[in-house]
Amino acid sequence: MPELDFVAVDFETANSARESACAVGVTVVRDGQVQSSDSWLIKPPPPADHFDRVNTAIHGITREQCMMDGLSWPETSQRLSRLCADLPVVAHNASFDESVWRAANRASGVEAPLPRFHCTLQLSRGHLDLVDHKLPTVVSHLGLDDFPHHRAEADALAAAQVTVELARRTGASSVEELWRSAPQRSTRGSSSLRTTTPRRVPESVFRTHVDRPVAGPSLADPTAPAPTVLEGEVVLITGELTFGAREGIQERLRQAGAAVAQSLTKKVTCLVIGAGADVRNPPLTGATGKEQKAAERIREGQRIAVIGEPELRELLEQAEGGSAVRNDAERPAALDDVTAFDSSLPEPPNDTRGATSAPEPAGTQDLRSDIGSRGDAQTVGSDAAPDRTAPLAAPPRTASAESAHQPYAAPPRQPWDPPLSVRPRQPWDPPLPGAMPPARPRRRWAFHVVMWSIMLFLVVGMFVVGLLLSLAGAPESVWAAVVGISWLTAPLVFLVWLVGTVVRLVRGRHGRSTAGGTKRAPREFSWTR
């Protein structure tokens, strides 16, 4: 490489100002060989002559050192001009070093042309496929000698060696040919331009969609019904919702009287899974971290209702529209035969004794006969006025072939009923999924106490025994053998403890992450908890 001539430079600064150069390293390369390497301190030109702690911590240069042994920038500029002598200048991240040179010239009033800069950072990006292209990373990848980073002379020498090594690998004989062989991004002062190509981002960096089943087995509590009102509920959302941004939906939930949780805590009563715009009651499968935490909490006994996007959208619309809460349950069979009183019926007077009854509208007589035929205790045509303050009781239902096979349905909920999501578990409730009988408490500390006691005895106790034997006049071979064997056994015991600890940790994590089982018995719900 007879024509590979260049100068590598590296600047260190005292603070964030570019004109605050405090040190420079220069390496001269002739015919592909390092001819000389030098560095010196610089007195930063005012007003950028203060030293920041961050910069000093990086390069280790202090203000006292520069003020005592440093050269002024005009002297530095003259020395750099003599060393460069119309040679191209190479630097790692050349835009920084070029801007320092230019800013220091401007701050000191030096009018001198700058040399042509070439950036080894862009050069390494064009030739090497690395995780990053920092100077230590490139030097290590090329198999060059290690160097103390952020030392001006060492950085300049490393940049020169990187340039020479890449020229050797590509067969380039000059700096211009080397940079032309690897088109790179534009850098001020660089010799060539490169059309920037976007770097491929690994698919695992961002996850914008989770593939979750819309049907199948679920880890949710089957006894926890879906909420009928949002007021008083603590709602947690996981997954994607299609009918609006999550922040807007959370604000609507707050306006509806619900509390919005950002993570699954003991206060969460409702988990919304965004599995699709039309997916109702999606299964709880543990597809996300929040779902895994919810499944774990449910196994511990916390009652969490799981709903989908359609249910949440309907609850929000009902809360905002002020309409009655929709009850998706079937109409109770016990109320099928109760005929509601028409609001158009005239109100009876407070005292009906001796008063002439008002004419009845059409159909009232049929209503009386129908209720009387069913054996109702209260007769509509009686002289006593009906007690409208008492709830209307359903008459006994006559068994029939049609109603004999209908399941029992609970009466409709009333506004004063407590939320179903916090109903305490009853003895007749079905068992929670994955529930196991209570297991005996495991003494996790016993293993560590025993192992460390053994190691302590082998190291300290046997040393004391050997010391006592030596004081008792036992032969040196005897007490030395006792102490030596015990000290050789202690590392084996430590290895057994380390392996056992790792195995127990892995098994514990595997048990917690397994969706189908649990190591702990579920805790019963308690109002005092």
Side-chain angles (χ1 to χ4, degrees):
M1 295 176 287
E3 299 180 1
L4 190 62
D5 302 334
F6 62 91
V7 177
V9 300
D10 181 80
F11 286 101
E12 302 295 337
T13 57
N15 49 69
S16 58
R18 293 301 173 92
E19 61 270 20
S20 63
C22 62
V24 62
V26 183
T27 300
V28 180
V29 177
R30 296 282 186 179
D31 297 332
Q33 300 292 330
V34 176
Q35 187 181 50
S36 64
S37 183
D38 193 10
S39 66
W40 60 89
L41 298 177
I42 305 172
K43 297 178 181 178
D49 54 351
H50 62 280
F51 280 71
D52 288 347
R53 294 181 180 178
V54 176
N55 295 59
T56 301
I58 292 175
H59 50 60
I61 302 174
T62 63
R63 175 182 174 83
E64 290 74 15
Q65 295 173 346
C66 291
M67 294 298 108
M68 180 179 300
D69 303 325
L71 300 179
S72 64
W73 179 256
E75 296 175 328
T76 298
S77 179
Q78 293 177 5
R79 181 180 290 191
L80 289 175
S81 299
R82 289 195 304 267
L83 290 173
C84 292
D86 296 332
L87 292 177
V89 174
V90 169
H92 203 74
N93 192 13
S95 60
F96 171 79
D97 298 278
E98 183 182 5
S99 64
V100 170
W101 196 331
R102 179 181 291 107
N105 278 347
R106 184 172 57 250
S108 302
V110 176
E111 297 182 0
L114 267 63
R116 306 188 312 273
F117 271 82
H118 300 263
C119 183
T120 56
L121 175 62
Q122 301 295 344
L123 181 68
S124 61
R125 286 176 178 173
H127 284 287
L128 306 176
D129 185 13
L130 304 176
V131 177
D132 63 74
H133 294 82
K134 299 178 180 179
L135 189 56
T137 306
V138 175
V139 168
S140 176
H141 177 78
L142 295 177
L144 304 176
D145 295 336
D146 293 337
F147 67 101
H149 193 28
H150 293 300
R151 301 297 182 267
E153 183 178 358
D155 287 356
L157 181 59
Q161 292 175 344
V162 168
T163 303
V164 173
E165 179 63 20
L166 291 178
R168 185 188 65 80
R169 295 189 179 191
T170 59
S173 58
S174 64
V175 171
E176 288 74 12
E177 183 181 353
L178 176 60
W179 258 262
R180 282 197 303 268
S181 65
Q184 51 193 314
R185 303 174 189 173
S186 63
T187 303
R188 290 187 297 173
S190 61
S191 59
S192 59
L193 299 178
R194 168 190 178 184
T195 56
T196 304
T197 57
R199 301 180 67 183
R200 183 178 64 86
V201 178
E203 295 179 357
S204 60
V205 173
F206 302 106
R207 184 180 68 175
T208 58
H209 180 71
V210 178
D211 295 328
R212 56 162 55 88
V214 298
S218 176
L219 302 176
D221 183 3
T223 64
T228 56
V229 290
L230 288 174
E231 186 175 1
E233 299 287 342
V234 181
V235 182
L236 176 64
I237 301 176
T238 181
E240 302 175 8
L241 301 178
T242 61
F243 67 97
R246 177 170 296 192
E247 292 77 10
I249 296 175
Q250 292 176 346
E251 183 61 28
R252 293 173 62 185
L253 285 169
R254 297 187 185 96
Q255 295 178 359
V260 178
Q262 302 299 330
S263 61
L264 203 139
T265 63
K266 292 183 178 180
K267 297 182 179 181
V268 172
T269 60
C270 179
L271 176 66
V272 180
I273 299 179
D278 301 324
V279 180
R280 290 179 173 272
N281 300 321
L284 180 63
T285 59
T288 62
K290 294 178 181 178
E291 293 186 37
Q292 296 174 5
K293 189 68 174 178
E296 181 180 353
R297 294 277 188 177
I298 290 175
R299 287 195 295 269
E300 294 176 358
Q302 182 174 347
R303 297 183 62 82
I304 302 176
V306 179
I307 64 175
E309 180 177 339
E311 295 95 321
L312 176 63
R313 187 171 57 248
E314 293 173 359
L315 290 172
L316 286 173
E317 292 174 354
Q318 292 164 1
E320 295 169 352
S323 59
V325 178
R326 174 187 170 189
N327 194 348
D328 293 334
E330 296 181 359
R331 179 177 175 83
L335 301 180
D336 287 344
D337 295 330
V338 178
T339 305
F341 287 100
D342 191 352
S343 59
S344 61
L345 290 176
E347 288 285 338
N350 293 334
D351 188 5
T352 57
R353 289 173 297 180
T356 305
S357 60
E360 302 180 15
T364 306
Q365 187 65 30
D366 297 336
L367 176 62
R368 290 181 178 180
S369 60
D370 181 66
I371 296 179
S373 64
R374 294 179 181 271
D376 193 356
Q378 180 181 4
T379 305
V380 177
S382 61
D383 293 335
D387 186 7
R388 296 185 179 274
T389 61
L392 180 62
R397 179 178 175 85
T398 305
S400 61
E402 179 182 358
S403 62
H405 302 286
Q406 293 184 359
Y408 169 77
R413 288 180 49 78
Q414 303 298 331
W416 52 82
D417 290 341
L420 289 176
S421 55
V422 296
R423 181 180 65 86
R425 289 185 54 80
Q426 304 297 333
W428 52 82
D429 288 341
L432 295 173
M436 296 181 62
R440 292 188 306 172
R442 293 179 294 178
R443 297 182 175 87
R444 302 178 181 271
W445 49 266
F447 172 76
H448 304 286
V449 170
V450 171
M451 299 303 293
W452 278 98
S453 300
I454 295 175
M455 286 187 285
L456 187 63
F457 173 78
L458 291 175
V459 174
V460 179
M462 297 306 294
F463 175 78
V464 174
V465 171
L467 183 61
L468 295 177
L469 289 176
S470 66
L471 295 177
E476 181 179 357
S477 58
V478 175
W479 63 263
V482 171
V483 175
I485 293 175
S486 62
W487 284 10
L488 290 176
T489 309
L492 299 179
V493 177
F494 175 81
L495 183 61
V496 172
W497 170 80
L498 183 61
V499 173
T501 302
V502 172
V503 170
R504 290 159 66 91
L505 179 62
V506 172
R507 291 180 60 186
R509 287 199 171 198
H510 178 71
R512 288 194 299 268
S513 61
T514 303
T518 180
K519 297 293 184 180
R520 293 179 293 182
R523 296 182 298 178
E524 293 296 327
F525 184 90
S526 174
W527 288 99
T528 61
R529 183 175 64 187

Short mmCIF file of all heavy atoms in Angstrom, two decimals, residues 117-118 176 179-187 189-194:
data_model
loop_
_atom_site.label_atom_id
_atom_site.label_comp_id
_atom_site.label_asym_id
_atom_site.label_seq_id
_atom_site.Cartn_x
_atom_site.Cartn_y
_atom_site.Cartn_z
N PHE A 117 -11.64 15.52 5.78
CA PHE A 117 -11.91 14.53 6.82
C PHE A 117 -12.56 13.29 6.23
O PHE A 117 -13.39 13.38 5.32
CB PHE A 117 -12.82 15.12 7.90
CG PHE A 117 -12.08 15.81 9.01
CD1 PHE A 117 -11.64 17.12 8.87
CD2 PHE A 117 -11.81 15.14 10.19
CE1 PHE A 117 -10.96 17.75 9.88
CE2 PHE A 117 -11.13 15.77 11.22
CZ PHE A 117 -10.70 17.08 11.07
N HIS A 118 -12.17 12.13 6.74
CA HIS A 118 -12.78 10.84 6.38
C HIS A 118 -13.16 10.13 7.67
O HIS A 118 -12.36 10.11 8.63
CB HIS A 118 -11.81 9.98 5.57
CG HIS A 118 -11.38 10.62 4.28
ND1 HIS A 118 -11.97 10.33 3.08
CD2 HIS A 118 -10.43 11.55 4.03
CE1 HIS A 118 -11.39 11.03 2.12
NE2 HIS A 118 -10.44 11.79 2.68
N GLU A 176 -8.78 7.52 -0.68
CA GLU A 176 -9.90 7.78 -1.57
C GLU A 176 -10.47 6.47 -2.12
O GLU A 176 -11.69 6.27 -2.18
CB GLU A 176 -9.48 8.70 -2.71
CG GLU A 176 -9.24 10.14 -2.33
CD GLU A 176 -7.93 10.32 -1.56
OE1 GLU A 176 -7.12 9.37 -1.55
OE2 GLU A 176 -7.72 11.41 -0.99
N TRP A 179 -12.46 4.55 0.68
CA TRP A 179 -13.80 5.08 0.97
C TRP A 179 -14.75 4.91 -0.21
O TRP A 179 -15.94 4.76 -0.01
CB TRP A 179 -13.70 6.54 1.39
CG TRP A 179 -13.82 6.71 2.88
CD1 TRP A 179 -14.90 7.04 3.58
CD2 TRP A 179 -12.77 6.50 3.84
NE1 TRP A 179 -14.64 7.08 4.91
CE2 TRP A 179 -13.33 6.75 5.11
CE3 TRP A 179 -11.42 6.15 3.74
CZ2 TRP A 179 -12.57 6.65 6.27
CZ3 TRP A 179 -10.67 6.05 4.90
CH2 TRP A 179 -11.26 6.29 6.16
N ARG A 180 -14.23 4.88 -1.42
CA ARG A 180 -15.10 4.62 -2.58
C ARG A 180 -15.55 3.17 -2.61
O ARG A 180 -16.64 2.87 -3.09
CB ARG A 180 -14.36 4.96 -3.88
CG ARG A 180 -14.28 6.44 -4.20
CD ARG A 180 -13.93 6.64 -5.67
NE ARG A 180 -12.66 5.98 -6.01
CZ ARG A 180 -11.47 6.59 -5.96
NH1 ARG A 180 -11.38 7.86 -5.59
NH2 ARG A 180 -10.38 5.93 -6.30
N SER A 181 -14.77 2.27 -2.07
CA SER A 181 -15.15 0.85 -2.09
C SER A 181 -16.30 0.55 -1.14
O SER A 181 -16.94 -0.49 -1.26
CB SER A 181 -13.94 -0.01 -1.72
OG SER A 181 -13.53 0.23 -0.37
N ALA A 182 -16.54 1.43 -0.19
CA ALA A 182 -17.65 1.24 0.75
C ALA A 182 -18.45 2.51 0.82
O ALA A 182 -18.18 3.39 1.65
CB ALA A 182 -17.13 0.87 2.14
N PRO A 183 -19.43 2.71 -0.08
CA PRO A 183 -20.26 3.91 -0.02
C PRO A 183 -20.88 4.05 1.36
O PRO A 183 -21.35 3.09 1.95
CB PRO A 183 -21.33 3.67 -1.09
CG PRO A 183 -20.70 2.69 -2.01
CD PRO A 183 -19.82 1.83 -1.17
N GLN A 184 -20.87 5.25 1.88
CA GLN A 184 -21.30 5.49 3.25
C GLN A 184 -22.19 6.71 3.31
O GLN A 184 -22.37 7.42 2.33
CB GLN A 184 -20.09 5.69 4.16
CG GLN A 184 -19.12 6.73 3.62
CD GLN A 184 -17.81 6.70 4.33
OE1 GLN A 184 -17.79 6.64 5.56
NE2 GLN A 184 -16.72 6.76 3.62
N ARG A 185 -22.75 6.92 4.49
CA ARG A 185 -23.61 8.08 4.69
C ARG A 185 -22.79 9.35 4.59
O ARG A 185 -21.59 9.36 4.83
CB ARG A 185 -24.27 8.03 6.07
CG ARG A 185 -25.08 6.77 6.30
CD ARG A 185 -25.56 6.73 7.72
NE ARG A 185 -26.17 5.44 8.01
CZ ARG A 185 -26.57 5.07 9.21
NH1 ARG A 185 -26.42 5.89 10.23
NH2 ARG A 185 -27.11 3.89 9.41
N SER A 186 -23.46 10.41 4.23
CA SER A 186 -22.75 11.68 4.07
C SER A 186 -22.26 12.18 5.42
O SER A 186 -22.96 12.17 6.41
CB SER A 186 -23.68 12.72 3.45
OG SER A 186 -24.76 12.97 4.32
N THR A 187 -21.00 12.61 5.44
CA THR A 187 -20.39 13.20 6.62
C THR A 187 -19.68 14.46 6.17
O THR A 187 -18.99 14.45 5.16
CB THR A 187 -19.38 12.22 7.26
OG1 THR A 187 -20.08 11.02 7.57
CG2 THR A 187 -18.78 12.79 8.51
N GLY A 189 -17.15 16.91 5.19
CA GLY A 189 -15.73 16.77 4.96
C GLY A 189 -15.35 15.41 4.44
O GLY A 189 -14.19 15.20 4.12
N SER A 190 -16.24 14.43 4.36
CA SER A 190 -15.89 13.11 3.88
C SER A 190 -15.77 13.12 2.37
O SER A 190 -16.22 14.00 1.69
CB SER A 190 -16.94 12.09 4.32
OG SER A 190 -18.19 12.42 3.80
N SER A 191 -15.16 12.09 1.85
CA SER A 191 -14.80 12.08 0.45
C SER A 191 -15.91 11.62 -0.45
O SER A 191 -15.84 11.82 -1.65
CB SER A 191 -13.58 11.16 0.25
OG SER A 191 -13.91 9.84 0.68
N SER A 192 -16.93 10.96 0.05
CA SER A 192 -17.97 10.44 -0.81
C SER A 192 -19.29 10.45 -0.07
O SER A 192 -19.36 10.66 1.13
CB SER A 192 -17.62 9.01 -1.26
OG SER A 192 -17.48 8.18 -0.13
N LEU A 193 -20.36 10.20 -0.83
CA LEU A 193 -21.71 10.17 -0.29
C LEU A 193 -22.28 8.78 -0.48
O LEU A 193 -21.88 8.04 -1.38
CB LEU A 193 -22.60 11.22 -0.97
CG LEU A 193 -22.14 12.67 -0.82
CD1 LEU A 193 -23.09 13.56 -1.59
CD2 LEU A 193 -22.09 13.08 0.64
N ARG A 194 -23.24 8.50 0.34
CA ARG A 194 -23.88 7.20 0.26
C ARG A 194 -25.37 7.39 0.45
O ARG A 194 -25.79 8.13 1.33
CB ARG A 194 -23.34 6.27 1.34
CG ARG A 194 -24.16 5.00 1.52
CD ARG A 194 -23.71 4.25 2.75
NE ARG A 194 -24.53 3.07 2.93
CZ ARG A 194 -24.42 2.26 3.95
NH1 ARG A 194 -23.53 2.50 4.88
NH2 ARG A 194 -25.19 1.20 4.06
#
